[in-house]
Amino acid sequence: MTPHSIGRPGRRHVVVVGAGPAGLSAARAAAEAGARVTVLDASHATGGQYWRHAAGPHEQLTDEELRLQHGWDTYCVLDAAVRSHPAVELVTRAQVWAAERHDDGPRLHVLVGEPDDAGRVPLTFSPDAVVLATGAHDRTLPFPGWELPGVTTAGAAQALAKADGVAVGSRVLVAGAGPFLLPVAATLAAVGATVLGVHEASRAGALARGWLDRPWRLAGTSGKLLELAGYAAGHVRHRIPYRVGEAVVAAHGHGRVEAVTISRLDPTWAPIAGTERVVEVDAVCVSHGFTPRLELAVALGTAITTERFVDVDVRQRTSSPHVWAAGETTGIAGVDAALAEGWLAGHDAAGGAPDERRARTAVRRRAATHEVARRMAAAHGIPVQGAGSGPGWLRWLTDDTVVCRCEEVTAGRLRDTAAVTCSTDPVSVKLTSRAGLGICQGRMCSAAVTAILGAPGALESRPVAAPVRLGDLARAAGPSA
Amino acid sequence: MSDVVVIGAGIIGAACARALAVSGARVTLLDRGSPATATSAHGEGNILVSDKGPGPELDLARYAASLWPGLSEELADELGPAFPALEYERKGGLVAATTLTGAEPLLAFARTQRAAGLDARPVGADAALVLEPDLSPDVTAAVHYPEDAQVQPVAAAEALLASARRRGVDVRGGTEVVGAVTSGGRIRGVRTTTGTVEADTVVVAAGPWSGAVGQRLGAPLSVLPRRGMVLVTTRMPHRIRHKVYDGDYFGATQSADAALQTSAVVESTAAGTVLIGSSREQVGFDVRLRVDVLAAIARRALRLFPTLTDASIMRSYLGFRPYVPDHLPVIGADDRLAGLWFATGHEGAGIGLAPATGEIVAALVGGRVPALDAHPFRPGRPGLLGASGEDHREP
Amino acid sequence: MSRDDRVTITVDGVPVGGRAGQSIAGVLIGAGEQAWRTTSFASAARGVFCGIGVCFDCVVEVNGLADVRACLRRARDGDVVVRQHIAPPEVIP
Ligand SMILES: Cc1cc2nc3c(=O)[nH]c(=O)nc-3n(C[C@H](O)[C@H](O)[C@H](O)COP(=O)(O)OP(=O)(O)OC[C@H]3O[C@@H](n4cnc5c(N)ncnc54)[C@H](O)[C@@H]3O)c2cc1C
Ligand SMILES: Cc1cc2nc3c(=O)[nH]c(=O)nc-3n(C[C@H](O)[C@H](O)[C@H](O)COP(=O)(O)OP(=O)(O)OC[C@H]3O[C@@H](n4cnc5c(N)ncnc54)[C@H](O)[C@@H]3O)c2cc1C
Ligand code: FES
């Protein structure tokens, strides 16, 4: 690895942030279009969330580990193409912690080394183009007890199984919303957990409206649907009950989760009184969707859609010159979309001709995957409106439900603070209640906070995209040389 | 109709509105955004006397410092336990020189302050280390200022606003002032994006936008934004007891140099995080992050506290100090337009100076003699009137 | 490094074994632990929540450095891990 520090005249230099499906695809396309490419990923391995795997050469994956992967061959081909291309440098354990906007283009500040360590190696890049492929993280709506150990996101269960070979518990319940719950349940079963059930918050009506509407439009998306069908078969095999219109509305336990309350939901996701039942568990995995990782995009000044994704055009260009985005930063549409978007972004960022045959194929593939995304949102989207005030899921919350996990701010304190200060402005309430001021910087709670306050959320700006030790910051390069 | 319109619901506008209401005026407080979310939410909460040399600003700072203990108690009593804590703490300041050449100017400055009656105690390096055990042993001189204090700025601003509301102040967010209503050579009210608000007295407390607001009202003023960036650590074991800053801080506040200046101001907060400020630059309202500025702040902080090298920085933020060329706040009537007043230009001290500013404005508007001679702060002093500068480009 | 390599870390002085390549969180969960941090205010137990470095619930002290995300950091043989609890400053009088 011989990282460079600045774009050189001549060949275009494209920096791709993220080596998940979108980033790898972008890197390959950019290199094939003639650019010099740097791929940066904070993780120890490439593959992103979808192809997360244990550290070490991936030929060494065991059969058990391979059983948890989908499209592994695609990954191996893509990864090999990126690694072997002479114009690509790949840096893993490379945390992009700040992105600066200069008049002559973006500048990325990177620390290379073990996560959160002191003394990491600083790198600075001033490329001709940046492709943001930073992915997403789970969004989990708060409920009483969600802060108990043993309550995790669905993604955490997936990541720990794939990369660490461990199950988050032995009697596990999976709940939330979206098709992603199915692979998580299948993975948990595969690593030896007893999965007590999958509870999807959306009700049959919404699911049918989303997924069964005009089925011919799904032509061309067979990959994802086949994968989902595979999970359904897996569920039959593992006898995992799948129930819709239900949610975990509380977790109970002392020092760890010991049981959860499941309730039936109305269409706004308000619990239906009298339908509660308690199930004993030692872990519960809950996710209601995904939130894109927007730190760098916001820092680079790209326009963000009302749904809070990076706004891109048909070529994956953002509103900021020099900046492209692909994958889950631009919408939640699954791995096929990420691959297609990555290709388009990398190709265009490298200055590739727009009307090539492959570009047309990628556009077509992206359009088909976006159809899946639209259906997913229609079928599984978190309700924003309910009867009375706010979405029904707010009724899961009691006054002492922790909302901000870091600063341990409860829903009651949040509401009280807003009431006594006569303010629902996120900037003010954050500073008077401390919700969102902790170490995760509101990544886990800010959407819930604004929903509870009934206020429009401010666009979160997190100029320090990941924590950096003061000593490393003091050594951070100024203008790159 | 109101007696008074105050423009800008930052901490200065909030303090003015409350003090005016206490003295019996009917007040409308207007802000184009949400109250207490602009500059007052993007700085720190130091209430410093230590960084001011003898003269009107030190007098104002000491007056303000004398008001804070009573004010914070009064607000806490009035607003009750459900209200967020103001976190007022008179923890004292420690100013340290880190170079040999910096030692004598620091001690000389303290002598002038002492002569003016300020409690400024030179302490040797050993005594400094007793006060602040993690301080660098390389410190060459230090001065302890027991009167320095801190407060949580947004909680304080919201408390002043809540108290003002209880006294009948009509606080309106989302209302931008676009012009003046005048007749007979005096102001009669303001035109806003939500209609006209009538009042014979209008106080501009619009922070770094005060010059631009003045311009809209026909009375431009040289108030410029001076950008500052701050670093925030994660919660860490409580080791920093005072507000500790390097001796160069004084130089940075008093300089008119537009180029980047940094000095370290290190303080722990009631939540356990450590705030590390700050920088001073005149770059208009440019909100773009600059890593070289953050790095310069970090280097300065490490000179004071080498043990902070492993502290984890989780956030940086920036704000725009309302800056006037002679560094003195602008408090008083504008002779160009009868009924127009200014309360602005507090630069890096507006949180601390807010209560004193409110008291003075209320006294002057009410025709009373303020507790402190306000003549030095008048808008009509040389160098202020005129263009508000071309620096009012929005980001 | 091969898949069969083992690593041993200490957690509050107690040796805990795991597989090479596992994260510190993976090692701890593999050893049957669900929680290893206590919060500042309620002293409540916490462990993994997001699993991918976003929530910071899993932070531990590693080799003397606080706030290391256990779900991101690969365990290395000999790592000295301490369960993290950072008390808030005393309440202001
Ligand atoms: C925990 C988790 C598990 C998932 N598992 C599955 C699954 O099993 N099946 C499924 O269909 N979908 C899964 N998903 C959905 C998944 O996000 C997409 O299917 C797909 O991985 C998206 O690809 P991407 O390239 O857009 O982003 P990702 O795969 O998320 O890749 C983004 C990459 O960017 C890197 N990165 C982010 N920010 C920075 C930075 N500042 N500096 C450096 N690097 C950075 C990350 O380390 C990551 O490797 C999962 C999502 C999550 C959050
Ligand atoms: C980095 C930094 C650190 C600092 N540290 C300290 C410190 O430690 N101690 C200290 O005392 N001070 C500190 N300060 C300074 C302090 O923050 C300011 O002096 C103070 O907040 C100014 O308050 P204000 O009410 O005048 O301005 P603001 O809080 O900006 O309020 C002005 C209001 O006017 C409104 N407005 C503007 N135009 C219009 C219009 N046309 N119509 C209606 N409303 C309008 C705005 O929306 C805004 O809400 C610091 C500042 C910075 C940037
Ligand atoms: S579990 Fe969320 S950061 Fe580690």
Side-chain angles (χ1 to χ4, degrees), chain B residues 143-171:
Chain B
V143 182
H144 180 211
Y145 294 88
E147 292 170 47
D148 280 351
Q150 80 183 30
V151 72
Q152 211 274 40
V154 177
E158 289 289 9
L160 289 165
L161 288 167
S163 172
R165 281 190 196 93
R166 294 164 71 103
R167 290 171 164 77
V169 174
D170 180 6
V171 183

PDB file of all heavy atoms in Angstrom, chain B residues 143-171:
ATOM      1  N   VAL B 143      -2.014  32.770  36.084  1.00  0.00           N
ATOM      2  CA  VAL B 143      -2.788  33.690  36.916  1.00  0.00           C
ATOM      3  C   VAL B 143      -4.144  33.050  37.182  1.00  0.00           C
ATOM      4  O   VAL B 143      -4.793  32.546  36.268  1.00  0.00           O
ATOM      5  CB  VAL B 143      -2.977  35.060  36.222  1.00  0.00           C
ATOM      6  CG1 VAL B 143      -3.743  36.006  37.134  1.00  0.00           C
ATOM      7  CG2 VAL B 143      -1.633  35.651  35.826  1.00  0.00           C
ATOM      8  N   HIS B 144      -4.540  33.069  38.437  1.00  0.00           N
ATOM      9  CA  HIS B 144      -5.813  32.488  38.848  1.00  0.00           C
ATOM     10  C   HIS B 144      -6.839  33.607  39.025  1.00  0.00           C
ATOM     11  O   HIS B 144      -6.562  34.595  39.704  1.00  0.00           O
ATOM     12  CB  HIS B 144      -5.606  31.717  40.159  1.00  0.00           C
ATOM     13  CG  HIS B 144      -6.858  31.081  40.677  1.00  0.00           C
ATOM     14  ND1 HIS B 144      -7.097  30.889  42.015  1.00  0.00           N
ATOM     15  CD2 HIS B 144      -7.939  30.587  40.033  1.00  0.00           C
ATOM     16  CE1 HIS B 144      -8.283  30.309  42.170  1.00  0.00           C
ATOM     17  NE2 HIS B 144      -8.807  30.120  40.980  1.00  0.00           N
ATOM     18  N   TYR B 145      -7.988  33.441  38.378  1.00  0.00           N
ATOM     19  CA  TYR B 145      -9.064  34.431  38.450  1.00  0.00           C
ATOM     20  C   TYR B 145     -10.296  33.791  39.080  1.00  0.00           C
ATOM     21  O   TYR B 145     -11.109  33.186  38.366  1.00  0.00           O
ATOM     22  CB  TYR B 145      -9.428  34.940  37.056  1.00  0.00           C
ATOM     23  CG  TYR B 145      -8.342  35.735  36.362  1.00  0.00           C
ATOM     24  CD1 TYR B 145      -7.381  35.105  35.587  1.00  0.00           C
ATOM     25  CD2 TYR B 145      -8.301  37.119  36.471  1.00  0.00           C
ATOM     26  CE1 TYR B 145      -6.396  35.841  34.929  1.00  0.00           C
ATOM     27  CE2 TYR B 145      -7.323  37.860  35.833  1.00  0.00           C
ATOM     28  CZ  TYR B 145      -6.374  37.208  35.054  1.00  0.00           C
ATOM     29  OH  TYR B 145      -5.407  37.940  34.419  1.00  0.00           O
ATOM     30  N   PRO B 146     -10.473  33.900  40.380  1.00  0.00           N
ATOM     31  CA  PRO B 146     -11.611  33.212  41.025  1.00  0.00           C
ATOM     32  C   PRO B 146     -12.973  33.693  40.541  1.00  0.00           C
ATOM     33  O   PRO B 146     -13.966  32.982  40.707  1.00  0.00           O
ATOM     34  CB  PRO B 146     -11.421  33.544  42.511  1.00  0.00           C
ATOM     35  CG  PRO B 146      -9.996  33.967  42.649  1.00  0.00           C
ATOM     36  CD  PRO B 146      -9.616  34.597  41.348  1.00  0.00           C
ATOM     37  N   GLU B 147     -13.043  34.882  39.933  1.00  0.00           N
ATOM     38  CA  GLU B 147     -14.371  35.402  39.541  1.00  0.00           C
ATOM     39  C   GLU B 147     -14.891  34.855  38.219  1.00  0.00           C
ATOM     40  O   GLU B 147     -16.050  35.059  37.878  1.00  0.00           O
ATOM     41  CB  GLU B 147     -14.323  36.941  39.469  1.00  0.00           C
ATOM     42  CG  GLU B 147     -14.145  37.591  40.827  1.00  0.00           C
ATOM     43  CD  GLU B 147     -13.861  39.083  40.708  1.00  0.00           C
ATOM     44  OE1 GLU B 147     -14.571  39.773  39.956  1.00  0.00           O
ATOM     45  OE2 GLU B 147     -12.905  39.549  41.358  1.00  0.00           O
ATOM     46  N   ASP B 148     -14.058  34.154  37.461  1.00  0.00           N
ATOM     47  CA  ASP B 148     -14.550  33.592  36.195  1.00  0.00           C
ATOM     48  C   ASP B 148     -15.581  32.490  36.470  1.00  0.00           C
ATOM     49  O   ASP B 148     -15.458  31.735  37.427  1.00  0.00           O
ATOM     50  CB  ASP B 148     -13.392  32.998  35.381  1.00  0.00           C
ATOM     51  CG  ASP B 148     -12.601  34.065  34.637  1.00  0.00           C
ATOM     52  OD1 ASP B 148     -13.048  35.224  34.610  1.00  0.00           O
ATOM     53  OD2 ASP B 148     -11.539  33.723  34.080  1.00  0.00           O
ATOM     54  N   ALA B 149     -16.574  32.418  35.610  1.00  0.00           N
ATOM     55  CA  ALA B 149     -17.657  31.455  35.813  1.00  0.00           C
ATOM     56  C   ALA B 149     -18.083  30.879  34.470  1.00  0.00           C
ATOM     57  O   ALA B 149     -17.536  31.237  33.424  1.00  0.00           O
ATOM     58  CB  ALA B 149     -18.837  32.138  36.496  1.00  0.00           C
ATOM     59  N   GLN B 150     -19.044  29.960  34.511  1.00  0.00           N
ATOM     60  CA  GLN B 150     -19.606  29.471  33.254  1.00  0.00           C
ATOM     61  C   GLN B 150     -21.075  29.162  33.419  1.00  0.00           C
ATOM     62  O   GLN B 150     -21.594  29.017  34.522  1.00  0.00           O
ATOM     63  CB  GLN B 150     -18.848  28.256  32.732  1.00  0.00           C
ATOM     64  CG  GLN B 150     -19.198  26.929  33.379  1.00  0.00           C
ATOM     65  CD  GLN B 150     -18.336  25.795  32.831  1.00  0.00           C
ATOM     66  OE1 GLN B 150     -17.191  25.987  32.425  1.00  0.00           O
ATOM     67  NE2 GLN B 150     -18.887  24.594  32.828  1.00  0.00           N
ATOM     68  N   VAL B 151     -21.753  29.055  32.278  1.00  0.00           N
ATOM     69  CA  VAL B 151     -23.180  28.796  32.274  1.00  0.00           C
ATOM     70  C   VAL B 151     -23.468  28.008  30.997  1.00  0.00           C
ATOM     71  O   VAL B 151     -22.655  28.020  30.076  1.00  0.00           O
ATOM     72  CB  VAL B 151     -23.955  30.147  32.306  1.00  0.00           C
ATOM     73  CG1 VAL B 151     -23.859  30.865  30.972  1.00  0.00           C
ATOM     74  CG2 VAL B 151     -25.397  29.983  32.705  1.00  0.00           C
ATOM     75  N   GLN B 152     -24.595  27.290  30.965  1.00  0.00           N
ATOM     76  CA  GLN B 152     -24.963  26.595  29.731  1.00  0.00           C
ATOM     77  C   GLN B 152     -25.746  27.601  28.893  1.00  0.00           C
ATOM     78  O   GLN B 152     -26.852  27.993  29.253  1.00  0.00           O
ATOM     79  CB  GLN B 152     -25.810  25.372  30.083  1.00  0.00           C
ATOM     80  CG  GLN B 152     -25.652  24.225  29.137  1.00  0.00           C
ATOM     81  CD  GLN B 152     -26.579  24.338  27.933  1.00  0.00           C
ATOM     82  OE1 GLN B 152     -26.794  25.406  27.379  1.00  0.00           O
ATOM     83  NE2 GLN B 152     -27.129  23.222  27.521  1.00  0.00           N
ATOM     84  N   PRO B 153     -25.183  28.035  27.767  1.00  0.00           N
ATOM     85  CA  PRO B 153     -25.753  29.201  27.075  1.00  0.00           C
ATOM     86  C   PRO B 153     -27.184  29.015  26.589  1.00  0.00           C
ATOM     87  O   PRO B 153     -27.988  29.951  26.716  1.00  0.00           O
ATOM     88  CB  PRO B 153     -24.823  29.400  25.871  1.00  0.00           C
ATOM     89  CG  PRO B 153     -23.643  28.545  26.101  1.00  0.00           C
ATOM     90  CD  PRO B 153     -23.982  27.519  27.129  1.00  0.00           C
ATOM     91  N   VAL B 154     -27.518  27.848  26.051  1.00  0.00           N
ATOM     92  CA  VAL B 154     -28.868  27.691  25.515  1.00  0.00           C
ATOM     93  C   VAL B 154     -29.884  27.571  26.639  1.00  0.00           C
ATOM     94  O   VAL B 154     -30.974  28.152  26.575  1.00  0.00           O
ATOM     95  CB  VAL B 154     -28.948  26.490  24.551  1.00  0.00           C
ATOM     96  CG1 VAL B 154     -30.370  26.294  24.056  1.00  0.00           C
ATOM     97  CG2 VAL B 154     -28.006  26.720  23.369  1.00  0.00           C
ATOM     98  N   ALA B 155     -29.512  26.861  27.693  1.00  0.00           N
ATOM     99  CA  ALA B 155     -30.411  26.788  28.844  1.00  0.00           C
ATOM    100  C   ALA B 155     -30.620  28.196  29.411  1.00  0.00           C
ATOM    101  O   ALA B 155     -31.739  28.571  29.777  1.00  0.00           O
ATOM    102  CB  ALA B 155     -29.837  25.853  29.908  1.00  0.00           C
ATOM    103  N   ALA B 156     -29.547  28.970  29.463  1.00  0.00           N
ATOM    104  CA  ALA B 156     -29.664  30.330  29.995  1.00  0.00           C
ATOM    105  C   ALA B 156     -30.554  31.182  29.101  1.00  0.00           C
ATOM    106  O   ALA B 156     -31.433  31.910  29.583  1.00  0.00           O
ATOM    107  CB  ALA B 156     -28.285  30.959  30.129  1.00  0.00           C
ATOM    108  N   ALA B 157     -30.350  31.089  27.797  1.00  0.00           N
ATOM    109  CA  ALA B 157     -31.164  31.885  26.872  1.00  0.00           C
ATOM    110  C   ALA B 157     -32.625  31.467  26.962  1.00  0.00           C
ATOM    111  O   ALA B 157     -33.530  32.314  27.015  1.00  0.00           O
ATOM    112  CB  ALA B 157     -30.641  31.737  25.441  1.00  0.00           C
ATOM    113  N   GLU B 158     -32.868  30.153  26.997  1.00  0.00           N
ATOM    114  CA  GLU B 158     -34.255  29.680  27.093  1.00  0.00           C
ATOM    115  C   GLU B 158     -34.880  30.091  28.425  1.00  0.00           C
ATOM    116  O   GLU B 158     -36.075  30.383  28.497  1.00  0.00           O
ATOM    117  CB  GLU B 158     -34.337  28.161  26.915  1.00  0.00           C
ATOM    118  CG  GLU B 158     -34.071  27.677  25.476  1.00  0.00           C
ATOM    119  CD  GLU B 158     -35.196  28.014  24.494  1.00  0.00           C
ATOM    120  OE1 GLU B 158     -36.125  28.769  24.839  1.00  0.00           O
ATOM    121  OE2 GLU B 158     -35.126  27.520  23.335  1.00  0.00           O
ATOM    122  N   ALA B 159     -34.078  30.103  29.476  1.00  0.00           N
ATOM    123  CA  ALA B 159     -34.614  30.517  30.782  1.00  0.00           C
ATOM    124  C   ALA B 159     -35.001  31.994  30.754  1.00  0.00           C
ATOM    125  O   ALA B 159     -36.060  32.382  31.262  1.00  0.00           O
ATOM    126  CB  ALA B 159     -33.591  30.250  31.882  1.00  0.00           C
ATOM    127  N   LEU B 160     -34.144  32.816  30.155  1.00  0.00           N
ATOM    128  CA  LEU B 160     -34.478  34.247  30.044  1.00  0.00           C
ATOM    129  C   LEU B 160     -35.746  34.419  29.216  1.00  0.00           C
ATOM    130  O   LEU B 160     -36.611  35.241  29.546  1.00  0.00           O
ATOM    131  CB  LEU B 160     -33.310  35.004  29.409  1.00  0.00           C
ATOM    132  CG  LEU B 160     -32.068  35.161  30.301  1.00  0.00           C
ATOM    133  CD1 LEU B 160     -30.856  35.599  29.475  1.00  0.00           C
ATOM    134  CD2 LEU B 160     -32.335  36.165  31.429  1.00  0.00           C
ATOM    135  N   LEU B 161     -35.865  33.615  28.142  1.00  0.00           N
ATOM    136  CA  LEU B 161     -37.064  33.702  27.293  1.00  0.00           C
ATOM    137  C   LEU B 161     -38.306  33.253  28.067  1.00  0.00           C
ATOM    138  O   LEU B 161     -39.359  33.899  27.994  1.00  0.00           O
ATOM    139  CB  LEU B 161     -36.893  32.837  26.041  1.00  0.00           C
ATOM    140  CG  LEU B 161     -35.903  33.358  25.000  1.00  0.00           C
ATOM    141  CD1 LEU B 161     -35.586  32.261  23.973  1.00  0.00           C
ATOM    142  CD2 LEU B 161     -36.471  34.591  24.296  1.00  0.00           C
ATOM    143  N   ALA B 162     -38.182  32.150  28.794  1.00  0.00           N
ATOM    144  CA  ALA B 162     -39.337  31.637  29.541  1.00  0.00           C
ATOM    145  C   ALA B 162     -39.780  32.663  30.591  1.00  0.00           C
ATOM    146  O   ALA B 162     -40.979  32.916  30.766  1.00  0.00           O
ATOM    147  CB  ALA B 162     -38.983  30.300  30.198  1.00  0.00           C
ATOM    148  N   SER B 163     -38.787  33.243  31.255  1.00  0.00           N
ATOM    149  CA  SER B 163     -39.099  34.250  32.267  1.00  0.00           C
ATOM    150  C   SER B 163     -39.728  35.481  31.617  1.00  0.00           C
ATOM    151  O   SER B 163     -40.670  36.076  32.156  1.00  0.00           O
ATOM    152  CB  SER B 163     -37.814  34.608  33.012  1.00  0.00           C
ATOM    153  OG  SER B 163     -38.028  35.692  33.862  1.00  0.00           O
ATOM    154  N   ALA B 164     -39.210  35.835  30.435  1.00  0.00           N
ATOM    155  CA  ALA B 164     -39.782  36.978  29.716  1.00  0.00           C
ATOM    156  C   ALA B 164     -41.240  36.706  29.345  1.00  0.00           C
ATOM    157  O   ALA B 164     -42.115  37.566  29.519  1.00  0.00           O
ATOM    158  CB  ALA B 164     -38.955  37.268  28.464  1.00  0.00           C
ATOM    159  N   ARG B 165     -41.508  35.492  28.864  1.00  0.00           N
ATOM    160  CA  ARG B 165     -42.889  35.146  28.503  1.00  0.00           C
ATOM    161  C   ARG B 165     -43.807  35.284  29.709  1.00  0.00           C
ATOM    162  O   ARG B 165     -44.934  35.776  29.596  1.00  0.00           O
ATOM    163  CB  ARG B 165     -42.955  33.704  27.994  1.00  0.00           C
ATOM    164  CG  ARG B 165     -42.508  33.514  26.570  1.00  0.00           C
ATOM    165  CD  ARG B 165     -42.842  32.107  26.085  1.00  0.00           C
ATOM    166  NE  ARG B 165     -42.100  31.800  24.879  1.00  0.00           N
ATOM    167  CZ  ARG B 165     -40.930  31.183  24.856  1.00  0.00           C
ATOM    168  NH1 ARG B 165     -40.368  30.761  25.979  1.00  0.00           N
ATOM    169  NH2 ARG B 165     -40.316  30.962  23.709  1.00  0.00           N
ATOM    170  N   ARG B 166     -43.325  34.813  30.857  1.00  0.00           N
ATOM    171  CA  ARG B 166     -44.154  34.914  32.067  1.00  0.00           C
ATOM    172  C   ARG B 166     -44.462  36.355  32.413  1.00  0.00           C
ATOM    173  O   ARG B 166     -45.412  36.636  33.149  1.00  0.00           O
ATOM    174  CB  ARG B 166     -43.461  34.233  33.239  1.00  0.00           C
ATOM    175  CG  ARG B 166     -43.320  32.729  33.059  1.00  0.00           C
ATOM    176  CD  ARG B 166     -42.305  32.168  34.026  1.00  0.00           C
ATOM    177  NE  ARG B 166     -42.836  32.187  35.386  1.00  0.00           N
ATOM    178  CZ  ARG B 166     -43.289  31.111  36.007  1.00  0.00           C
ATOM    179  NH1 ARG B 166     -43.274  29.940  35.391  1.00  0.00           N
ATOM    180  NH2 ARG B 166     -43.747  31.210  37.224  1.00  0.00           N
ATOM    181  N   ARG B 167     -43.619  37.266  31.926  1.00  0.00           N
ATOM    182  CA  ARG B 167     -43.852  38.694  32.184  1.00  0.00           C
ATOM    183  C   ARG B 167     -44.556  39.358  31.016  1.00  0.00           C
ATOM    184  O   ARG B 167     -44.507  40.569  30.852  1.00  0.00           O
ATOM    185  CB  ARG B 167     -42.529  39.385  32.467  1.00  0.00           C
ATOM    186  CG  ARG B 167     -41.961  38.980  33.794  1.00  0.00           C
ATOM    187  CD  ARG B 167     -40.556  39.494  33.982  1.00  0.00           C
ATOM    188  NE  ARG B 167     -40.193  39.408  35.389  1.00  0.00           N
ATOM    189  CZ  ARG B 167     -39.850  38.294  36.010  1.00  0.00           C
ATOM    190  NH1 ARG B 167     -39.803  37.159  35.323  1.00  0.00           N
ATOM    191  NH2 ARG B 167     -39.548  38.288  37.279  1.00  0.00           N
ATOM    192  N   GLY B 168     -45.151  38.532  30.170  1.00  0.00           N
ATOM    193  CA  GLY B 168     -45.991  39.075  29.114  1.00  0.00           C
ATOM    194  C   GLY B 168     -45.297  39.351  27.801  1.00  0.00           C
ATOM    195  O   GLY B 168     -45.909  39.861  26.863  1.00  0.00           O
ATOM    196  N   VAL B 169     -44.014  39.027  27.692  1.00  0.00           N
ATOM    197  CA  VAL B 169     -43.330  39.273  26.418  1.00  0.00           C
ATOM    198  C   VAL B 169     -43.886  38.314  25.366  1.00  0.00           C
ATOM    199  O   VAL B 169     -44.058  37.123  25.612  1.00  0.00           O
ATOM    200  CB  VAL B 169     -41.807  39.087  26.564  1.00  0.00           C
ATOM    201  CG1 VAL B 169     -41.127  39.199  25.201  1.00  0.00           C
ATOM    202  CG2 VAL B 169     -41.242  40.118  27.538  1.00  0.00           C
ATOM    203  N   ASP B 170     -44.171  38.852  24.216  1.00  0.00           N
ATOM    204  CA  ASP B 170     -44.689  38.065  23.101  1.00  0.00           C
ATOM    205  C   ASP B 170     -43.482  37.640  22.249  1.00  0.00           C
ATOM    206  O   ASP B 170     -42.891  38.464  21.556  1.00  0.00           O
ATOM    207  CB  ASP B 170     -45.657  38.953  22.304  1.00  0.00           C
ATOM    208  CG  ASP B 170     -46.251  38.232  21.104  1.00  0.00           C
ATOM    209  OD1 ASP B 170     -46.010  37.023  20.950  1.00  0.00           O
ATOM    210  OD2 ASP B 170     -46.954  38.906  20.317  1.00  0.00           O
ATOM    211  N   VAL B 171     -43.101  36.378  22.369  1.00  0.00           N
ATOM    212  CA  VAL B 171     -41.924  35.878  21.649  1.00  0.00           C
ATOM    213  C   VAL B 171     -42.390  35.227  20.354  1.00  0.00           C
ATOM    214  O   VAL B 171     -43.159  34.272  20.379  1.00  0.00           O
ATOM    215  CB  VAL B 171     -41.135  34.850  22.498  1.00  0.00           C
ATOM    216  CG1 VAL B 171     -39.869  34.409  21.759  1.00  0.00           C
ATOM    217  CG2 VAL B 171     -40.794  35.409  23.872  1.00  0.00           C
TER     218      VAL B 171
END
